[in-house]
Amino acid sequence: MSRSISQRAFMVFGGLALAGTLTLAQAAPVSFDVPLTGAQQVPPVQTPGDGSANLTYDSSTRVVTWNITFSGLSSQATMAHFHGPAAAGKNANVKVWLSQKGNMEMASPTKGQATLSPDDAKMFEAGDMYINVHTKNNPNGEIRGQVVPPKSN
């Protein structure tokens, strides 16, 4: 009888340890790229410019890091943000500044990180945020990209 209880306990603890390992593996930071184009602006913007945002996101800490590069814009880039909540083709308010707030000039590359609020993290994970790079000629945004984190298995 005691052997049967020991075996059950071993299996329960072993299963819990395995589940904990799988949970940690799912919480590992993910890296992905977001293409930035004028065609994704709402309404679309005719621009020779484009860019890319390399993002890393850790769902366990809600920390997102970014490295945004762009070139060929019609004028000086002035600022960049995460906007949300919004699906592709919709506009939304600023959620997180990606450039230095108050400085109306930004250069490529722009790097930084932020800890998202719990609500913003849900939006981010659901693909309901976008990145917008604003310029002097296009103050509402010249290039944009929908943030769609890869789905974990």
Side-chain angles (χ1 to χ4, degrees), residues 36 66 68 70 77-83 94 96-101 103 106 110 130-135 143:
L36 306 172
W66 58 84
I68 300 170
F70 51 84
T78 56
M79 59 188 132
H81 315 100
F82 282 122
H83 292 254
V94 171
V96 177
W97 279 76
L98 304 176
S99 57
Q100 184 179 1
K101 191 173 185 176
N103 183 359
M106 63 176 282
T110 295
Y130 62 90
I131 293 171
N132 209 354
V133 176
H134 306 259
T135 63
I143 56 175

Side-chain angles (χ1 to χ4, degrees), residues 2-86:
S2 66
R3 185 172 191 192
S4 175
I5 292 173
S6 295
Q7 286 177 332
R8 284 187 202 159
F10 177 77
M11 293 193 55
V12 167
F13 288 122
L16 289 173
L18 179 60
T21 302
L22 292 175
T23 300
L24 288 175
Q26 290 175 346
V30 294
S31 294
F32 57 102
D33 290 319
V34 177
L36 306 172
T37 65
Q40 293 186 72
Q41 280 296 136
V42 178
V45 171
Q46 293 290 333
T47 177
D50 64 4
S52 179
N54 178 267
L55 304 177
T56 300
Y57 178 67
D58 186 334
S59 62
S60 65
T61 61
R62 301 187 322 271
V63 172
V64 60
T65 61
W66 58 84
N67 181 5
I68 300 170
T69 58
F70 51 84
S71 63
L73 300 177
S74 67
S75 60
Q76 174 66 49
T78 56
M79 59 188 132
H81 315 100
F82 282 122
H83 292 254

